[in-house]
Amino acid sequence: MTATNLPAINLHNTALLLIDIQNDYFPGGAMALHQSEQAAAQAARVLQGFRRASLPVIHIQHEMVGDRGFFLPGTEGQKIHASVTPEADETVVVKNYPSSFLRTELDQLLEKQGIKHLVIVGMMTHMCVNTTVRAAAEHGYGVTLIGDATATRDLILDGESVPAEQVQRAMLASVIGFFAEVTTADGFLQQHKLI
């Protein structure tokens, strides 16, 4: 991951988007991801940096439509993880699809706040994070993706397992350039003096 020398962004029109950091993605949850605790710890560091600087924070919370076995409405697994619990003045947007923009008020909220750039962390890298990053770019937002603050899982292709580490690297690489700049929590926080 590229950790330094990223294009400068204006933090005054930037918001942090935390995608689906919810209990079902953690050990003991219905859809535990590879290294979700480590990713959440990095996301929490970025969140604290935004809070210290009084910058906008938006939490995305997935609510499953139909019974897919996780993120079921009203369950403990659907709740946002304690490591990034929203504060009273932070917005929570509930979504039902991989894109945080599809059939939600997210775009209107960002436009109302004058947001031009999104810093994105969350889960799953290959699904809701990837989809939202691409949708954000298509909506005209600049995007910085904090790669080590995202997590995914092993996938299956033609009966063969694709390890989570490979899925993670491929998904991060796939958005570099047109869709997003990719960095680390340390790289971002140091570059913007949010530590």
Side-chain angles (χ1 to χ4, degrees), residues 27 32 35 41 47 67 69 77 85 99 153 159 164 192:
Q35 296 186 340
L47 174 60
D67 188 355
T85 299
S99 172
R153 62 186 177 93
H192 296 288

Side-chain angles (χ1 to χ4, degrees), residues 48-92:
Q48 289 306 316
F50 269 71
R51 285 173 173 169
R52 282 192 293 269
S54 299
L55 296 170
V57 171
I58 299 174
H59 300 261
I60 305 296
Q61 182 179 27
H62 199 101
E63 183 175 281
M64 193 60 70
V65 175
D67 188 355
R68 301 251 180 125
F70 66 109
F71 290 167
L72 301 179
T75 63
E76 190 66 25
Q78 198 238 346
K79 292 180 181 176
I80 293 174
H81 192 260
S83 62
V84 293
T85 299
E87 293 189 344
D89 62 343
E90 294 172 354
T91 302
V92 177

Side-chain angles (χ1 to χ4, degrees), residues 100-191:
S100 300
F101 289 90
L102 183 58
R103 298 184 185 176
T104 72
E105 68 274 26
L106 178 59
D107 193 35
Q108 291 83 359
L109 287 170
L110 296 172
E111 186 175 343
K112 184 177 180 181
Q113 295 181 56
I115 300 301
K116 303 295 183 187
H117 195 96
L118 295 174
V119 174
I120 294 180
V121 301
M123 305 172 185
M124 293 186 285
T125 316
H126 75 277
M127 182 63 67
C128 296
V129 171
N130 190 283
T131 305
T132 297
V133 165
R134 291 167 182 266
E138 290 168 355
H139 278 78
Y141 297 99
V143 178
T144 300
L145 178 59
I146 310 297
D148 59 351
T150 68
T152 189
R153 62 186 177 93
D154 296 350
L155 298 179
I156 302 294
L157 177 64
D158 295 332
E160 295 185 10
S161 178
V162 182
E165 293 93 340
Q166 292 181 21
V167 176
Q168 179 78 355
R169 290 186 64 80
M171 290 300 101
L172 294 177
S174 75
V175 299
I176 292 174
F178 182 80
F179 296 108
E181 298 293 341
V182 178
T183 187
T184 61
D186 276 341
F188 179 81
L189 292 170
Q190 291 171 8
Q191 181 181 12

